[in-house]
Amino acid sequence: MPEQLTRHPEVTIQVLRSAGARCGEGAPQQILKTCPRERFCQLPGGEICVYGLDSAAAMTQITHADWQALGPLAGARQADAPSMAVVAAAVAGLLAGVLLAALLARWRHGRWRQ
């Protein structure tokens, strides 16, 4: 039976209840015995334990090696997004280039001396 990890466990449990799952009602836990009762859902086809990010370390089906394998993905996602400092520098450089080009064009056409 699966353990589920979500940022919004309460919403996930609400959705499971709307589909007929019995969640947090003290249903007998035949397979997911270590699942906290308030996060345990029983459906006709099996059991689900819904974990939030704050309780992810208590999951039994994800190993330490699994968590480590996710590390580069999280780092890559952050590395792909430019920081605000880089964006600000690019905009400032663009504006400086436009201003310099306008001044140079004015000087070349002799309007600078007037």
Side-chain angles (χ1 to χ4, degrees), residues 57-81:
M59 296 177 76
T60 61
Q61 296 176 355
I62 297 179
T63 67
H64 183 69
D66 294 329
W67 289 117
Q68 285 183 325
L70 292 174
L73 293 176
R77 183 180 292 178
Q78 289 176 348
D80 290 345

Side-chain angles (χ1 to χ4, degrees), residues 3 28-37 40 47 49 51 60:
E3 293 178 330
Q29 296 176 228
Q30 298 173 1
I31 297 172
L32 299 174
K33 295 181 185 226
T34 61
C35 179
R37 288 223 179 260
F40 177 78
E47 303 173 354
C49 188
Y51 287 93
T60 61

Side-chain angles (χ1 to χ4, degrees), residues 97-108:
V98 168
L99 179 61
L100 185 60
L103 289 173
L104 183 60
R106 197 167 182 192
W107 179 75
R108 289 186 77 199

